[in-house]
Amino acid sequence: TQLLEQSPQFLSIQEGENLTVYCNSSSVFSSLQWYRQEPGEGPVLLVTVVTGGEVKKLKRLTFQFGDARKDSSLHITAAQPGDTGLYLCAGDHQGAQKLVFGQGTRLTINP
Amino acid sequence: SQTIHQWPATLVQPVGSPLSLECTVEGTSNPNLYWYRQAAGRGLQLLFYSVGIGQISSEVPQNLSASRPQDRQFILSSKKLLLSDSGFYLCARGDRSGNTIYFGEGSWLTVV
């Protein structure tokens, strides 16, 4: 079974602080995606990373794919209350035509 | 357009009753289609996926089933619901490579 472990599972910080969420696996993935989900809604795709060592930035969010393509991180700078949500990482194996999801990180940003 | 329609949005059903959740998608033809279940704001569990009409792959043995009668229609069913079937069900579509998928709005199922 190809598992993705996310850490931490829960994170509550004050507005303006920085944070990093991790997504780790013992398997190599062809690509890795990060999603954010609001309560009662479907997850929304934030980014897809496909190359080992790749770094992508989305405003205050920085995503990195590990060199060995087994892990990824999401770093948020100067967190805002609007960043609150469930962050999910998902990976795919070449030819599998399906994604494996981590269990998610529940992030709460307090004003 | 990657629009995905799911219905009903909310459903309360008694134990032992049947279930039918429907999903239709817009956009390119012959998409990959998926049904996921999510328990209480946690990670997503893949239930079924389909790469074409009539082609269904089951990921988890259970009392649920899926069908794809048309290219852009995916249906999740059960003949007799269990309490453990309660959860948030998400339909999704993906490109042929399967490395990016887009989700519908989700359907809340409560089995009582």
Side-chain angles (χ1 to χ4, degrees), chain B residues 43-110:
Chain B
L44 279 67
Q45 178 187 35
L46 179 62
L47 302 176
F48 301 95
Y49 72 98
S50 171
V51 299
I53 296 174
Q55 301 179 62
I56 308 295
S57 296
S58 174
E59 291 294 300
V60 181
Q62 58 209 321
N63 68 320
L64 299 172
S65 62
S67 62
R68 186 170 178 175
Q70 301 181 43
D71 181 47
R72 296 173 185 171
Q73 184 183 25
F74 204 24
I75 299 171
L76 182 68
S77 304
S78 174
K79 292 183 179 179
K80 290 185 178 182
L81 285 169
L82 306 173
L83 287 174
S84 58
D85 291 325
S86 294
F88 191 47
Y89 289 81
L90 289 155
C91 177
R93 67 168 293 158
D95 56 26
R96 299 312 293 171
S97 70
N99 70 354
T100 300
I101 64 174
Y102 302 91
F103 288 89
E105 310 94 336
S107 298
W108 280 103
L109 171 65
T110 303

